[in-house]
Amino acid sequence: MSAAGEVDRTVLRDVVETLAPWDRRAGSTDEHRAADWIAERLTRAGAPAHVEDATFLDGYAPMIGALAAVGVAAGVLGQTRPGRRLAIAAGALAAAAIVDDVSNGPRVARRATRKPKPTWNVVAEAGDRNAERTLVVMAHHDAAPGGAIFDQTVQRLAQDKIPGLFERVDTAVPVWWPVVGGPALAALGAKLRRRKLGLFGAAMSAGSVAAMADIARSPIVPGANDNLSAVAALVGLAERLRDAEAAGDGVGVRVLLVSCGAEEVIQGGIYSFAESWFPRLDREQTWFLNLDTIGSPELVSIEGEGPIVMEDYHWRSFRDLIERVSWREGVPVRRGMRARSSTDAVVPSRAGYPTACLVSFDRAKAMPNYHLPTDVPENLDYDTIARAVILAEAVARELAGDAGQSGVTTG
């Protein structure tokens, strides 16, 4: 198979450097402009693409901030006898609503308070368009707001001070737990008539209010790593598949190259893609490979994700296949890590499709510049992006083989 050096870095850089200056807030004019540009670029790379209208529910930070404010009120109300019952109900409901929202549940609170807004997904088709099997390679093209909560100083300090212990921990810190815990403790304090516990819950909730307000008012970051690195990989993969077909060496599977909008609102456009495409994609013949923030030094195949409750992606054998292919092709991928953030991968996984997600870390197990203004093109490791392109192509070729010979099972 090809070496990473054969992936055209000029193509990767062109994608990232073109799109990074655009303010790609979910649902914005620049996000729409980016979707149009990506569709045209994929088409030019040999993968006919189109833009599909989609919708999303905006405002995760203001809404969760408002729910955290309910936790503050519950903690205060719980200090008085007349307010205890209201404090218990309000705190418990606020905690449950936050869990529901950040975990990609029914999102009752967001649906009740927000109207759908437009976003745009890009869908391109490459490889063998008549093949029975389909590999869906996903990215997203919107960018996130920044915020002080994304500072990585503590994580890097832990790596410096306790490297042995730090290395043994492969599940990310559950940053959403305190956000849920504030209203929950306020309710519990009222229930148990523990004033200090209720006030502690109120204080935790107040911290969440401040953090969400900071995110809501922060500018959109360039998003070169998160997630233009993956968009660049889609274009690089499209060009390699086009060249392979021209040389009579096609991959033997249909490859859908998908870039979703509004991912940074805790999943948006992926739901419209699922509604439109899942009925057309046989779960026994379709695999999903999500690429998210792949411009850091070490390529990682995470096992699963869960802001509140961890859930591994459906069908481990697909992740095992990726690991075998990666070592065979000289593109090592780290295994065993789990994320406390959420990605678009959770949607096909819950729908029963074999799913994997590639990300990238540095030695501190961090995504450098994640959701920070420093997430600019010059800070990317383009070699890692190139390795992801090669791995995705190799996985497509492996899926084209006989299921019994390649170790591919669909459960």
Side-chain angles (χ1 to χ4, degrees):
M1 186 61 69
S2 304
E6 295 181 26
V7 176
D8 190 344
R9 306 303 198 281
T10 303
V11 170
L12 305 180
R13 290 180 183 275
D14 175 64
V15 173
V16 176
E17 291 174 358
T18 297
L19 297 175
W22 301 357
D23 191 328
R24 305 181 318 282
R25 183 185 298 273
S28 67
T29 299
D30 271 359
E31 193 209 30
H32 193 182
R33 179 184 173 200
D36 287 338
W37 188 92
I38 294 165
E40 188 278 330
R41 187 62 184 84
L42 285 169
T43 300
R44 188 151 41 96
H50 64 279
V51 176
E52 296 184 346
D53 292 337
T55 60
F56 74 103
L57 296 171
D58 199 6
Y60 90 89
M63 191 205 69
I64 292 175
L67 291 170
V70 173
V72 176
V76 174
L77 283 171
Q79 305 303 303
T80 66
R81 181 177 297 178
R84 282 178 187 149
R85 289 186 178 180
L86 180 58
I88 294 169
L93 287 173
I98 295 171
V99 170
D100 169 53
D101 196 86
V102 302
S103 300
N104 278 286
R107 289 183 167 164
V108 175
R110 208 189 296 201
R111 292 183 185 279
T113 59
R114 309 289 176 186
K115 293 182 179 180
K117 295 179 63 175
T119 187
W120 303 271
N121 297 331
V122 180
V123 181
E125 194 168 4
D128 183 353
R129 292 153 175 82
N130 296 317
E132 289 186 359
R133 292 183 172 182
T134 299
L135 173 65
V136 183
V137 184
M138 298 195 303
H140 71 84
H141 51 265
D142 64 311
I149 193 68
F150 301 112
D151 182 82
Q152 298 176 341
T153 301
V154 173
Q155 185 171 355
R156 297 188 182 283
L157 185 63
Q159 192 266 340
D160 289 339
K161 299 300 184 182
I162 48 172
L165 176 61
F166 188 83
E167 181 58 28
R168 290 197 295 273
V169 178
D170 276 342
T171 298
V173 175
V175 295
W176 285 107
W177 284 11
V179 182
V180 175
L185 289 177
L188 185 62
K191 175 69 175 177
L192 300 178
R193 301 185 182 185
R194 301 286 181 86
R195 295 170 60 87
K196 289 184 179 180
L197 183 61
L199 289 175
F200 181 64
M204 287 180 63
S205 296
S208 299
V209 171
M212 292 300 115
D214 182 44
I215 292 173
R217 68 170 176 259
S218 293
I220 298 297
V221 303
N225 199 4
D226 181 17
N227 194 28
L228 295 182
S229 59
V231 174
L234 294 186
V235 176
L237 179 58
E239 294 208 340
R240 286 174 66 89
L241 295 178
R242 175 197 63 194
D243 294 344
E245 290 285 346
D249 185 28
V251 293
V253 297
R254 180 173 68 150
V255 179
L256 292 182
L257 304 171
V258 179
S259 184
C260 289
E263 190 269 356
E264 297 292 357
V265 299
I266 314 182
Q267 284 61 69
I270 182 63
Y271 285 107
S272 292
F273 176 82
E275 183 179 359
S276 175
W277 281 88
F278 283 8
R280 294 180 263 173
L281 296 172
D282 184 351
R283 284 186 295 181
E284 301 299 318
Q285 300 290 342
T286 305
W287 292 258
F288 279 79
L289 177 61
N290 188 47
L291 307 179
D292 199 318
T293 317
I294 55 171
S296 310
E298 184 177 17
L299 203 59
V300 179
S301 174
I302 57 176
E303 305 297 327
E305 61 186 66
I308 307 300
V309 177
M310 185 60 62
E311 54 182 297
D312 281 4
Y313 299 128
H314 182 66
W315 211 246
R316 177 173 179 153
S317 65
F318 182 41
R319 303 195 299 280
D320 294 341
L321 177 145
I322 291 173
E323 182 179 31
R324 291 195 303 272
V325 171
S326 72
W327 286 108
R328 187 182 68 211
E329 304 301 329
V331 184
V333 174
R334 181 168 182 157
R335 288 285 303 274
M337 302 189 73
R338 289 170 172 83
R340 283 295 182 180
S341 55
S342 60
T343 75
D344 283 345
V346 71
V347 175
S349 177
R350 287 179 177 176
Y353 292 98
T355 302
C357 182
L358 296 182
V359 299
S360 62
F361 295 150
D362 62 11
R363 288 188 177 183
K365 297 181 181 176
M367 299 174 179
N369 309 298
Y370 180 73
H371 287 196
L372 296 173
T374 50
D375 189 8
V376 293
E378 51 266 35
N379 287 334
L380 293 192
D381 189 326
Y382 287 91
D383 287 342
T384 308
I385 302 173
R387 290 195 292 271
V389 171
I390 287 169
L391 181 56
E393 180 184 356
V395 168
R397 293 182 182 278
E398 187 78 359
L399 291 174
D402 178 79
Q405 295 179 10
S406 66
V408 180
T409 56
T410 57

